[in-house]
Amino acid sequence: MILFSIYIFGLIVSIWLLNKQEGSKFFTSKKNISWLFSGLSLFMLSLSVDQGQFLTGIIANKGMTGLWIIWVGWIGAFIIPLVFAPYWKKLDFISDNQFLLYRFPGRGGKILHIFRALYVGVLVVALSICFHMIGFSRVISYYFDVSVEGAILLCGGVLALYTLKNVFDIKLKLDAFHAGIYLLSFVVILFFLWNESRGITGITEYFNINPEKKAIFPTEENQSAWFSIAVILGIQWWSCNLFDGGGPEMSRYTAVKDSRSARLTGLLPIVMSFVLGNLLLLSVLLVLGSSHKGQINELTYIETIFNVVPDNLSPLVIAGIFGVFITTAESLLIWGSSFL
């Protein structure tokens, strides 16, 4: 707890000192950010602190078939960086909500603009932040052995401190720093999970004990699973996802120097997410392989990680998970407040 507090305090002081030098643009950049920083920030935004917990729960309950709800997200993944990112760079809006005023001119467009500002800026963003706070509070609650309520208050307090003194250019650079910490912590997690599960042996044993969870496609007997996949492919993936690059990621495309940098900003997280996504799935399978004899739920992922990672390296893991939480939650706050 002391090390974690020192780490948070050092980051907040650094933000405060850098803020004096950078200026006070909260929602936009000075347009000179490297595509590497902007792309790493977008990569961190694509992560979720509860991804490992979520995947563990899916495979434990539905098997590999349940992962289709994740895999369909790759449909149209390259459309945004190759098609829409350069256009967002040219438009250079403060928020993607401004586009409604140009797309639907007149009174109707203004009403829609105000409605979406309130709907997204207040309700959607608040609910999204709640999901991330619950995911991170589970980690804090388990690791520091505090109540869930206390962990949520701690998460909210830290997030409030971050938003008191921050500018967008500093945030992008800090996101890139957190990306480095996260990648390092993930390597540590993967290494010790591999040793604990005896590599492929543990995964093989898990699927031998639970053969029904091995199939990627549903069996003929499981008609309900086929129906679920049809609904996901036919309705959910296109109705619940933005494929025009709007949302909090838009500001990453406008923060860079030119259209080429905007494309690279969009391509970098796609490549990284593909590699890290498969490694994350491997880590979940290793968790299942090392704990298949007990009761498995979403919290099994967190419990297994901190059981196998040595105590002297666990602060690094906490710092990596915190980086994912603060990057995404703060990005949502900035996006929602830019609407308002």
Side-chain angles (χ1 to χ4, degrees), residues 118-134 159 329 332-333 335-337:
L118 295 174
Y119 174 70
V120 175
V122 177
L123 181 62
V124 174
V125 167
L127 290 175
S128 299
I129 291 175
C130 286
F131 281 112
H132 291 284
M133 288 189 64
I134 290 172
L159 183 58
L332 289 170
L333 274 178
W335 182 47
S337 57

Side-chain angles (χ1 to χ4, degrees), residues 27-29 31 38 41-42 45 88 92-96 168 171-172 245-256 265 331 334-335 338:
F27 306 126
T28 59
S29 168
K31 317 304 177 188
S38 188
S41 175
L42 189 53
L45 178 61
W88 284 118
D92 196 22
F93 290 145
I94 293 177
S95 75
D96 56 300
F168 194 70
K171 172 178 168 46
L172 294 180
E249 61 264 39
M250 185 220 70
S251 55
R252 273 73 177 172
Y253 304 133
T254 61
V256 293
T265 293
S331 296
I334 292 175
W335 182 47
S338 70

Side-chain angles (χ1 to χ4, degrees), residues 80 149 157 177 263 300 324:
I80 294 176
E149 292 80 4
F177 169 75
R263 286 193 180 95
T300 303
V324 175

Side-chain angles (χ1 to χ4, degrees), residues 172-248:
L172 294 180
K173 296 173 183 177
L174 193 63
D175 290 351
F177 169 75
H178 278 142
I181 298 295
Y182 168 74
L183 292 174
L184 183 59
S185 67
F186 186 74
V187 170
V188 171
I189 291 172
L190 205 57
F191 174 79
F192 286 102
L193 282 176
W194 182 271
N195 290 340
E196 178 69 19
S197 184
R198 294 165 291 126
I200 302 298
T201 304
I203 299 175
T204 303
E205 289 181 359
Y206 174 77
F207 284 126
N208 287 337
I209 296 174
N210 305 277
E212 74 284 357
K213 293 182 169 54
K214 186 178 181 180
I216 295 178
F217 294 97
T219 60
E220 294 182 0
E221 295 80 13
N222 193 359
Q223 297 297 324
S224 61
W226 280 111
F227 178 75
S228 298
I229 291 178
V231 170
I232 292 170
L233 290 172
I235 300 175
Q236 187 168 356
W237 75 269
W238 59 264
S239 63
C240 298
N241 292 279
L242 295 174
F243 288 96
D244 61 357

Side-chain angles (χ1 to χ4, degrees), residues 6 8 18 64 85 87 100 108 123 126 147 162 319 330:
I6 293 173
I8 299 300
L18 288 170
M64 297 295 289
Y87 289 121
L100 295 178
L123 181 62
S147 66
Y162 260 74
E330 191 184 15

Side-chain angles (χ1 to χ4, degrees), residues 46-321:
S46 68
L47 299 177
S48 174
V49 73
D50 63 347
Q51 277 181 316
Q53 304 172 47
F54 180 58
L55 292 177
T56 302
I58 286 180
I59 299 177
N61 289 291
K62 303 293 184 180
M64 297 295 289
T65 305
L67 294 177
W68 277 100
I69 195 173
I70 307 295
W71 291 332
V72 293
W74 286 96
I75 299 176
F78 288 93
I79 294 177
I80 294 176
L82 296 179
V83 177
F84 291 107
Y87 289 121
W88 284 118
K89 172 59 186 172
K90 292 178 181 179
L91 290 172
D92 196 22
F93 290 145
I94 293 177
S95 75
D96 56 300
N97 199 39
Q98 285 181 269
F99 186 60
L100 295 178
L101 296 175
Y102 294 84
R103 187 178 183 184
F104 305 105
R107 185 180 179 184
K110 291 181 180 179
I111 293 174
L112 183 59
H113 176 262
I114 294 172
F115 170 78
R116 187 166 182 257
L118 295 174
Y119 174 70
V120 175
V122 177
L123 181 62
V124 174
V125 167
L127 290 175
S128 299
I129 291 175
C130 286
F131 281 112
H132 291 284
M133 288 189 64
I134 290 172
F136 187 58
S137 65
R138 285 177 170 181
V139 180
I140 293 296
S141 176
Y142 178 81
Y143 184 73
F144 292 119
D145 194 22
V146 296
S147 66
V148 176
E149 292 80 4
I152 290 176
L153 289 175
L154 177 62
C155 296
V158 171
L159 183 58
L161 289 175
Y162 260 74
T163 58
L164 285 176
K165 207 70 171 176
N166 200 0
V167 297
F168 194 70
D169 282 345
I170 294 176
K171 172 178 168 46
L172 294 180
K173 296 173 183 177
L174 193 63
D175 290 351
F177 169 75
H178 278 142
I181 298 295
Y182 168 74
L183 292 174
L184 183 59
S185 67
F186 186 74
V187 170
V188 171
I189 291 172
L190 205 57
F191 174 79
F192 286 102
L193 282 176
W194 182 271
N195 290 340
E196 178 69 19
S197 184
R198 294 165 291 126
I200 302 298
T201 304
I203 299 175
T204 303
E205 289 181 359
Y206 174 77
F207 284 126
N208 287 337
I209 296 174
N210 305 277
E212 74 284 357
K213 293 182 169 54
K214 186 178 181 180
I216 295 178
F217 294 97
T219 60
E220 294 182 0
E221 295 80 13
N222 193 359
Q223 297 297 324
S224 61
W226 280 111
F227 178 75
S228 298
I229 291 178
V231 170
I232 292 170
L233 290 172
I235 300 175
Q236 187 168 356
W237 75 269
W238 59 264
S239 63
C240 298
N241 292 279
L242 295 174
F243 288 96
D244 61 357
E249 61 264 39
M250 185 220 70
S251 55
R252 273 73 177 172
Y253 304 133
T254 61
V256 293
K257 302 175 183 178
D258 48 37
S259 297
R260 176 180 176 273
S261 298
R263 286 193 180 95
L264 292 174
T265 293
L267 287 172
L268 179 63
I270 290 176
V271 175
M272 293 184 66
S273 295
F274 180 78
V275 176
L276 267 294
N278 285 292
L279 291 177
L280 179 63
L281 177 58
L282 174 61
S283 73
V284 170
L285 294 176
L286 291 172
V287 166
L288 296 172
S290 61
S291 56
H292 59 267
K293 296 180 180 179
Q295 183 68 29
I296 297 175
N297 51 44
E298 291 185 354
L299 287 178
T300 303
Y301 186 80
I302 299 299
E303 294 170 355
T304 305
I305 284 176
F306 289 113
N307 284 334
V308 301
V309 174
D311 292 341
N312 59 335
L313 290 176
S314 58
L316 174 63
V317 175
I318 282 289
I321 298 174

